[in-house]
Amino acid sequence: MPQCEPKTQPLSCASGAPKCLIAAPDAGDILAALVHQGLLTPAQVHVAVTSAEVAQYIGEVDIVCGKPAWLAPHLHLAQKLRWLQSTFAGVEPLMVAGLPRNYQLTGVKGIFGPLMREYVFGKLLEIFRHFGCYHRQQQQTLWRPHAYQGLAGRTLMVVGLGSIGAELVHTGQHFGMRTLGVNSTGQSGLPLDGCYALDDLQQGVGSDALASADAIVFALPGTPALTGVVDAQFLKALKPGAVLVNVGRGQLIDERALLAALKAGQLQAAVLDVFTQEPLPEDHPFWRAPNLHLTPHISALTFTADIARIFADNYQRFQAGKPLLHAIDFARGY
């Protein structure tokens, strides 16, 4: 299938109800929710609960709702596809060069912010208030208080000011933190204490801002242009003793550079929920790196009810020929 611009005509199907494919481990539950709402009938929908099953059905359908990594290998078979609703926030597998782009792609937004803020601030509180240390002392029956400064008065820098970044900014302000933001333009409608363009920070402009951040959180998408954006030079510009958190994409960080910074004691801690390779190999040096907090990509899980709600809303728009919500720009990758 040749690449071309996504269809811009109304997306409603004139010849009856569109055929759909739901491709996800919980596809049956998503379908049940949509049938319960009266939006779809089982006769309209194919269900794939493994990646291999996608190939059986994707050539027959107008609409796909599914996991990008499952869909990408079979996308060349999707001769009738008009709209694809991702069940993940990240759509990187569908951005690979050579894959068809002559359909409308929509993502998942607005549901991960509350979960992300719980994760990020849970870890920041654990680190700054020494909760992990106290738990270890409990195992040793050791009573030893440690001096601390709370979050109030500290500086939080959020890199990536989409819906998740906005949640983090507002929560930081709730805790009394000074908040700085970073995005592609250096401009934002959020009530920040300062906003910077990522390109400027990489070139040394605004280095004082980097050096002032007690915590820096990355909530950026994974695009080729952002690969390795957190390199040795970027890390060196951070405030000694800062805490770095990545809930965006693993490829944002130069892993060797981060390991070196941790071993040198440059950072108080790093918190990583995403990695270049997942699952993280057992022999990866991150497992043994000092002051590194690892979690297995669980900061914000996708819940069936949320996916069903987003798909249902967009499906009604699809049928009415209205613009779909959370449209993905193929050129930008998000």
Side-chain angles (χ1 to χ4, degrees), residues 86-97:
S86 171
T87 57
F88 278 41
V91 293
E92 293 88 352
L94 302 173
M95 298 294 112
V96 174

Side-chain angles (χ1 to χ4, degrees), residues 25-257:
D26 57 347
D29 294 333
I30 295 173
L31 174 58
L34 297 169
V35 170
H36 179 73
Q37 295 178 56
L39 293 176
L40 295 173
T41 66
Q44 289 177 252
V45 183
H46 295 296
V47 169
V49 294
T50 68
S51 176
E53 292 175 342
V54 172
Q56 300 178 40
Y57 309 116
I58 197 169
E60 306 173 19
V61 299
D62 307 287
I63 301 170
V64 175
C65 174
K67 186 176 177 179
W70 284 13
L71 301 173
H74 311 292
L75 203 57
H76 63 285
L77 301 173
Q79 300 294 325
K80 299 179 180 180
L81 181 62
R82 305 180 72 193
W83 163 40
L84 191 159
Q85 172 66 61
S86 171
T87 57
F88 278 41
V91 293
E92 293 88 352
L94 302 173
M95 298 294 112
V96 174
L99 289 182
R101 295 185 174 185
N102 59 337
Y103 61 93
Q104 174 72 68
L105 174 61
T106 54
V108 177
K109 296 182 180 179
I111 65 174
F112 298 122
L115 295 170
M116 286 290 196
R117 71 186 180 197
E118 290 177 358
Y119 177 91
V120 169
F121 285 91
K123 296 304 289 187
L124 291 181
L125 287 167
E126 175 188 347
I127 293 165
F128 287 130
R129 295 290 303 268
H130 312 305
F131 293 151
C133 175
Y134 290 127
H135 183 69
R136 291 189 295 272
Q137 289 181 188
Q138 179 182 339
Q139 314 311 308
Q140 304 168 40
T141 62
L142 181 62
W143 183 282
R144 180 180 294 166
H146 298 273
Y148 66 85
Q149 176 190 343
L151 297 184
R154 292 187 184 270
T155 296
L156 170 71
M157 175 176 281
V158 178
V159 186
L161 297 176
S163 58
I164 292 171
E167 288 274 3
L168 299 177
V169 166
H170 292 314
T171 304
Q173 292 169 343
H174 171 79
F175 278 107
M177 302 184 80
R178 175 174 175 258
T179 54
L180 305 177
V182 181
N183 60 11
S184 60
T185 64
Q187 298 180 347
S188 172
L190 295 173
L192 295 159
D193 294 293
C195 191
Y196 304 86
L198 182 57
D199 286 347
D200 289 343
L201 288 184
Q202 289 179 283
Q203 295 167 14
V205 179
S207 58
D208 290 346
L210 277 178
S212 72
D214 297 289
I216 180 167
V217 183
F218 291 87
L220 290 168
T223 67
L226 294 174
T227 298
V229 65
V230 184
D231 57 13
Q233 180 179 350
F234 195 101
L235 291 166
K236 188 176 181 180
L238 294 178
K239 180 180 184 177
V243 175
L244 180 150
V245 182
N246 187 15
V247 291
R249 288 294 177 264
Q251 61 263 41
L252 298 173
I253 293 180
D254 180 328
E255 294 185 347
R256 290 185 179 181

